[in-house]
Structure formats: structure tokens, C-alpha cells
Amino acid sequence: MSHHPLHDPFIIAGREFRSRLLVGTGKYKNFEETRHAIEASGADVVTVAVRRVNITDKNSENLLDYIDPKKYTILPNTAGCYTVEDAVRYARLARAAGVSDLVKLEVIGDERTLFPDTAGLIEAAKILIAEGFIVLPYTNDDPIVAKKLVDIGCPAVMPLAAPIGSGLGIRNPYNLKIIMETVKVPVIVDAGVGTASDAALAMEYGADAVLMNTAIAGAKDPIMMATAMRYAVDAGRLAFKAGRIPRKLYATASSSIEGML
Amino acid sequence: MKIIVNGEEQEHNIPLTVTSLLQGLDLRTEQVAVEVNLTILNRSDFPTWNLQEGDKVEILNFIGGGSSPPRHNRGGNRYESSSFA
């Protein structure tokens, strides 16, 4: 029995998702735009940050009134955390504010690049996994670190394509490929995607999913870009599964010469 | 009594439970996390947890986010980097 080619569920820690595009909810003009862009992206998993409630403005709106947690899997992050202690604290607060044990763990090492502090990341992941968290770590494109994260119990790894928000696309495809071949868990390429071809390329390399925020939210038309990213991720995934032809230096005719005059 | 809520000093009558504090702020308990003096509370404790003079209360919820904003700079990008064409 054959399935529709797009029936290709993406599974993390026993949870099944239809879409292989995960999206962030930051940097949009307003919650209305956020909602439309997320709908257009087709994503099932959306990332959110945990911050102090604005207690002085009682009319301030709540993101979750726009992004229905019954419809989407809310993935809280520890964005903005530069120490193990902060990341662990924010993860615990996220769990207290939400409904699940999922956390996108970020321990940031440097303000200018926002590259992960991978030593801190491993340490924080160990603490949180021991507390029952499902830790999805935002990591560098380092195969050794990815392997260590899996060994301590992360059910997926999320190596960056390029610095967060840079739009530079995949800077180190070979390392990403090595990570995909090294670890037996899903690899989600996270951060650095600039446009649809970057997302398609990540999927063609064999990534299980792509996570992005700025590439969509920062586009001139975020909703149109969300749609483009949805197609790009699907196209890249299909191309990966279909198996591309090898690259050759010279031409190979695709029309037979037999029967020519 | 005086307590500090999200960094802001407030005057309240006693007794004051976490639930009544949240109600006074028009906040729905199912959408927030509450930390009192660095201890994260279970939601089921909100109705019975009595706040004490000098307590430092943090109330948090989810906001839009993808990945890290720079630490001292919520809002804008401090490092305006050059664009690549």
C-alpha cells in the first residue's frame, strides 16, 4: 500500500508531527501577524520565550490567545540565557507556565554571534533531563557535541545553519552532514536560514526538520515567506527521499539519438 | 505589607494568596508561572500560598520568541552588522 509522498510524519520523543517546519513567534509586528504567518507555515511546533508579565498594562494581550496550545505544540525556549543556572531556571519556569516537559534549551556563549556555549549546554541538559524534561538543544554545527548531547539523553539535536537572525544560510554543510550520519535522533537545523532555498537545501542534505523565525518574521511579507518556507521544506524533503542524480562534469543526453535522420 | 512584584514594590492587605494577587492583576492562573523568592510554585498551590512581607514575586508568561535576543538589549540589535548581498 502506498502512502501519499507527503505523508511523512516527523517524530520527536514519541510525539508525531505532520510538518517538518518549526517556527518561532518573535519579531512580528503584532500577534495577528504572528498567527497568520504560523498558519501559512503549516508548522505544528512553535517556539515561545518566557518573560515577565507586563503588570502595569492590564490590557496587554497574551500570545496564547492567538496561538492555541490545543492546536500547536508550544516549545518554550531559554533564549537570552547565558549561564547554566539561568537556562535551568527559565526551563523550570517554562514548565510551570505551560503544559509539557518540552524545552528548547539555549545556553548562549557570546552576545555578538549568539553562538551556543556548548559546555554549558551539556551541563544544563544533564540537569534538566534528570528532572524529566524533554530537552531539544540548540547547538553548534559540531558533530562531537551533538553526539554528547544524544548520549546524555536528548531526543533530537538542533545544530545551527548560521548565527541566529543572520540569514547567511548553511555555512557548514559538511559538518551538518556528519552530524546527520553520526546521531540516531532527528536533526533539526535551527537558525541562520535566510530564504526558501536555504531551507530546501537543509532538507536535501537530510535534515529531519528546520526551525526558523527571523527568515519569516523579518521578510517584507512574512505570510508569503511562511508559505514559501512550507513548500521549500516539503520540496527539500521529497527531493531527499527521491534521491538526487549524481553530479557529472559533462552532459548526458536525455533524448535518444536512435531514429534520427 | 510590602511585596515586590516583577521588580515593582507594591502595598497589599494581608492575607494575600497568589491566586488573589493574580486576580487583582487580571491574570489567568493557567497562563502564568509564579516564582516566590526564587521558588517556583505549583499551580495547585496558588490558592493556598500566603505571601509574606518582603516577598519577591516574579510572574512570567510566554511571549513571542524564536531565539536569543542579546542580553542587555531587548528590543533592538546592538550590533548592526554589514549586509551581504
Side-chain angles (χ1 to χ4, degrees):
Chain A
M1 186 183 143
S2 77
H3 284 289
H4 186 274
L6 286 179
H7 177 77
D8 181 20
F10 166 53
I11 297 166
I12 316 173
R15 291 154 194 255
E16 189 176 309
F17 304 105
R18 277 172 301 118
S19 174
R20 290 172 179 270
L21 173 58
L22 293 74
V23 295
T25 52
K27 299 186 182 174
Y28 286 98
K29 277 206 301 282
N30 50 49
F31 287 154
E32 197 60 37
E33 188 184 69
T34 315
R35 169 161 63 193
H36 287 307
I38 287 165
E39 276 171 7
S41 77
D44 302 312
V45 180
V46 300
T47 68
V48 299
V50 184
R51 293 291 181 270
R52 272 179 171 170
V53 169
N54 181 352
I55 54 167
T56 47
D57 178 11
K58 287 190 180 180
N59 294 319
S60 63
E61 292 182 294
N62 192 313
L63 176 66
L64 295 190
D65 292 335
Y66 287 81
I67 312 295
D68 184 358
K70 290 190 196 79
K71 198 168 150 199
Y72 296 99
T73 296
I74 304 296
L75 176 59
N77 64 31
T78 61
C81 294
Y82 285 78
T83 63
V84 172
E85 293 70 28
D86 269 358
V88 167
R89 182 184 183 196
Y90 273 81
R92 289 172 180 154
L93 286 164
R95 178 154 75 176
V99 286
S100 85
D101 298 322
L102 280 171
V103 65
K104 176 189 165 186
L105 183 61
E106 296 183 29
V107 183
I108 300 301
D110 167 63
E111 284 186 37
R112 185 151 204 190
T113 60
L114 298 179
F115 280 144
D117 168 357
T118 51
L121 180 67
I122 292 170
E123 201 183 324
K126 275 185 189 161
I127 295 168
L128 293 169
I129 289 165
E131 294 179 14
F133 281 88
I134 299 165
V135 175
L136 309 180
Y138 165 66
T139 183
N140 225 321
D141 51 6
D142 180 335
I144 307 301
V145 172
K147 171 88 168 47
K148 286 186 179 182
L149 288 163
V150 174
D151 288 346
I152 62 170
C154 295
V157 286
M158 308 211 292
L160 54 82
I164 292 167
S166 69
L168 287 175
I170 298 172
R171 295 296 80 213
N172 199 339
Y174 306 106
N175 272 30
L176 288 181
K177 270 286 252 214
I178 293 170
I179 291 173
M180 291 165 201
E181 291 193 0
T182 308
V183 302
K184 300 279 182 272
V185 300
V187 175
I188 304 166
V189 171
D190 177 9
V193 163
T195 186
S197 53
D198 297 333
L201 213 51
M203 296 306 290
E204 286 176 22
Y205 287 138
D208 293 278
V210 179
L211 195 161
M212 66 181 75
N213 190 155
T214 309
I216 296 175
K220 276 185 191 148
D221 185 332
I223 291 144
M224 201 182 288
M225 187 58 90
T227 311
M229 292 300 185
R230 174 187 204 152
Y231 290 135
V233 167
D234 280 348
R237 177 67 180 173
L238 287 171
F240 170 72
K241 288 177 76 182
R244 61 154 299 153
I245 60 163
R247 289 182 173 85
K248 289 184 216 157
L249 192 55
Y250 293 103
T252 312
S254 44
S255 304
S256 170
I257 53 165
E258 232 178 62
M260 282 189 78
L261 299 176
Chain B
M1 67 168 173
K2 283 196 175 89
I3 58 172
I4 295 167
V5 182
N6 286 7
E8 186 183 285
E9 197 175 273
Q10 296 187 347
E11 188 69 40
H12 287 275
N13 296 324
I14 44 172
L16 177 72
T17 65
V18 169
T19 297
S20 38
L21 175 69
L22 293 174
Q23 279 167 353
L25 293 166
D26 286 340
L27 293 172
R28 278 171 284 167
T29 54
E30 71 274 14
Q31 290 187 335
V32 297
V34 178
E35 194 187 65
V36 179
N37 304 329
L38 299 179
T39 300
I40 298 168
L41 306 189
N42 290 321
R43 221 169 257 156
S44 55
D45 292 334
F46 290 180
T48 51
W49 191 285
N50 281 305
L51 293 165
Q52 312 291 325
E53 171 80 34
D55 276 353
K56 285 199 175 76
V57 183
E58 295 289 351
I59 307 170
L60 300 99
N61 69 355
F62 293 132
I63 63 146
S67 290
S68 280
R71 175 168 23 186
H72 303 300
N73 175 38
R74 291 165 190 152
N77 190 353
R78 205 167 91 198
Y79 300 106
E80 282 304 329
S81 57
S82 49
S83 274
F84 292 85

